[in-house]
Amino acid sequence: NSNDKLNYRLTYTNNQQKGIVPNTGLAKNTIGLSAGYQIIPQLRADVTMNYVHTNSDNRASTGAKNADNIMAIFLKMPRNVSLNSLQQQWRDGKENVAQNTPIGDETSTGINNPYFVVYNNLNGNTRDRVYGNLRLKYDILKGLSLQIRSGLDVYSDKRTMRHAVTSQSFFNGYYQEDDVSFMEINNDFLLSYRLPDEAVRNFGFSISAGGNMMNQISKRLGAIAPELTIPGVYNLTNNAKPILAGNSLTQKKVNSLYVTAQFSYLNGLFLDLTGRNDWSSALPKKNNSYFYPSVSGSLIFSNLFEHKEWFTFGKLRASWAKVGGDTSPYQLQL
């Protein structure tokens, strides 16, 4: 709905995806809200917020060296092995004890049974995510405006990984749980000016200057049961060997200032300039600043001549840029 001052939209999306690999898929539910309000003629507020719940009982395994990679199994499987014969995942009378493997015996497995993998070695994932931003824009003068914005992106992710007994690489079974959380907050401002079209004939100019403060926090807590006491029971207390556990906390901040300007003449000559400087907490305190500019120019010479019967469009363009970047946290020393 909308009127002369207020507009808003509420959406709900349900997405059910079935994987190409059997017993894999993804369910996603999304609720979105976007709204805007003209507080006074010069001041407007806009807000966007989204909530996403994603769930999968099993995501397909990938990676060339992953023993559960279905395509890798097919590549290694002898051509004289019937795929239909492998639909029986366990050996006769030995369910949850010995898989019906294409190569190997009860004491070793050359490669996994693909049906055994997709119905027993599961990769679960449940994620809740909230992201959005709030923006205030104030028109100071004609062509001159100030924008202030704050954005949030936060999620919590619970992951599970299980391997049944007699799996290749995890012959005695395996179970893992990970709790991952992430939060990023961005606060920025942008002061923009655009020369009115009627101010100077055949000449255009705009410039923007702003800054950003980015703060990231990432946490992870994980535990592994490297072998199972009771086959087919997947929890951390069913461990035949001591639990392997660990946790991590990473934090990173980046403060930035930037400017960009655009010039145009006769709708045929254009020049763009940018410059940005970042200060990153991931770099040494005495050397954590880096600057990266760019310049781009173009000439549409077909717009500068009145008689161009023999061509309709012609353009020359050149640009130069310097790229800047930091690193992930805690990477400067071994």
Side-chain angles (χ1 to χ4, degrees):
N1 196 7
S2 65
N3 55 40
D4 58 337
K5 287 189 175 182
L6 174 68
N7 67 278
Y8 61 88
R9 181 179 64 179
L10 180 66
T11 63
Y12 169 72
T13 305
N14 176 265
N15 182 14
Q16 303 287 335
Q17 178 179 335
K18 185 177 180 181
I20 297 175
V21 175
N23 199 38
T24 63
L26 183 72
K28 180 184 292 186
N29 291 277
T30 305
I31 298 175
L33 172 66
S34 61
Y37 184 68
Q38 195 74 37
I39 303 172
I40 58 176
Q42 298 84 12
L43 181 61
R44 178 177 176 83
D46 292 281
V47 61
T48 301
M49 191 61 62
N50 296 275
Y51 167 71
V52 183
H53 176 77
T54 306
N55 181 72
S56 176
D57 294 329
N58 186 28
R59 291 176 179 260
S61 297
T62 59
K65 297 183 179 180
N66 191 330
D68 289 344
N69 184 326
I70 300 301
M71 291 307 301
I73 293 174
F74 289 157
L75 290 172
K76 297 176 182 178
M77 187 184 301
R79 297 301 91 193
N80 62 340
V81 175
S82 170
L83 194 61
N84 290 332
S85 69
L86 299 177
Q87 294 188 42
Q88 180 181 334
Q89 304 163 34
W90 301 94
R91 294 184 183 273
D92 291 333
K94 295 189 176 182
E95 185 172 348
N96 290 325
V97 176
Q99 69 160 298
N100 180 26
T101 178
I103 302 177
D105 53 30
E106 297 181 10
T107 60
S108 65
T109 57
I111 58 174
N112 285 324
N113 180 325
Y115 288 99
F116 169 87
V117 166
V118 298
Y119 291 105
N120 295 277
N121 295 358
L122 308 184
N123 305 299
N125 165 236
T126 301
R127 172 184 285 195
D128 291 287
R129 182 187 180 195
V130 176
Y131 64 96
N133 64 75
L134 171 64
R135 185 185 71 165
L136 294 173
K137 185 178 181 182
Y138 184 73
D139 294 324
I140 304 171
L141 298 170
K142 186 176 182 179
L144 180 63
S145 64
L146 174 64
Q147 173 183 285
I148 300 175
R149 183 174 55 181
S150 181
L152 172 71
D153 188 352
V154 57
Y155 68 79
S156 62
D157 195 350
K158 183 175 180 63
R159 306 168 186 174
T160 59
M161 181 185 299
R162 72 186 211 184
H163 294 270
V165 294
T166 66
S167 295
Q168 187 183 9
S169 304
F170 302 100
F171 193 81
N172 295 312
Y174 176 97
Y175 181 67
Q176 177 177 344
E177 287 189 9
D178 289 291
D179 287 324
V180 179
S181 64
F182 174 84
M183 180 176 68
E184 179 174 310
I185 299 175
N186 283 278
N187 297 305
D188 64 66
F189 74 92
L190 188 66
L191 184 65
S192 302
Y193 174 74
R194 180 181 181 86
L195 185 69
D197 294 337
E198 67 275 11
V200 180
R201 187 179 180 182
N202 297 326
F203 180 76
F205 170 71
S206 64
I207 186 170
S208 299
N212 182 82
M213 294 188 299
M214 187 274 287
N215 186 16
Q216 281 184 351
I217 301 176
S218 179
K219 298 179 181 179
R220 181 168 186 161
L221 175 64
I224 298 172
E227 292 186 8
L228 303 180
T229 301
I230 303 173
V233 177
Y234 298 100
N235 60 60
L236 295 174
T237 59
N238 185 33
N239 56 307
K241 287 187 175 181
I243 293 290
L244 304 176
N247 66 313
S248 64
L249 169 64
T250 60
Q251 295 177 283
K252 180 179 177 179
K253 293 183 179 181
V254 178
N255 296 326
S256 308
L257 291 174
Y258 38 81
V259 63
T260 177
Q262 294 86 33
F263 305 86
S264 65
Y265 181 65
L266 293 175
N267 198 32
L269 182 63
F270 301 91
L271 177 66
D272 289 19
L273 303 171
T274 71
R276 175 170 176 144
N277 200 96
D278 289 351
W279 293 264
S280 173
S281 66
L283 299 176
K285 289 184 178 181
K286 295 182 180 180
N287 192 26
N288 65 351
S289 172
Y290 49 98
F291 176 72
Y292 44 109
S294 74
V295 57
S296 174
S298 61
L299 172 65
I300 304 179
F301 52 85
S302 55
N303 290 348
L304 302 178
F305 302 98
E306 295 182 1
H307 304 285
K308 48 181 184 296
E309 293 83 0
W310 57 280
F311 71 96
T312 58
F313 181 80
K315 180 179 180 179
L316 295 174
R317 189 181 71 168
S319 62
W320 172 89
K322 183 178 180 181
V323 179
D326 56 358
T327 183
S328 301
Y330 323 127
Q331 300 296 312
L332 300 180
Q333 293 180 352
L334 297 178

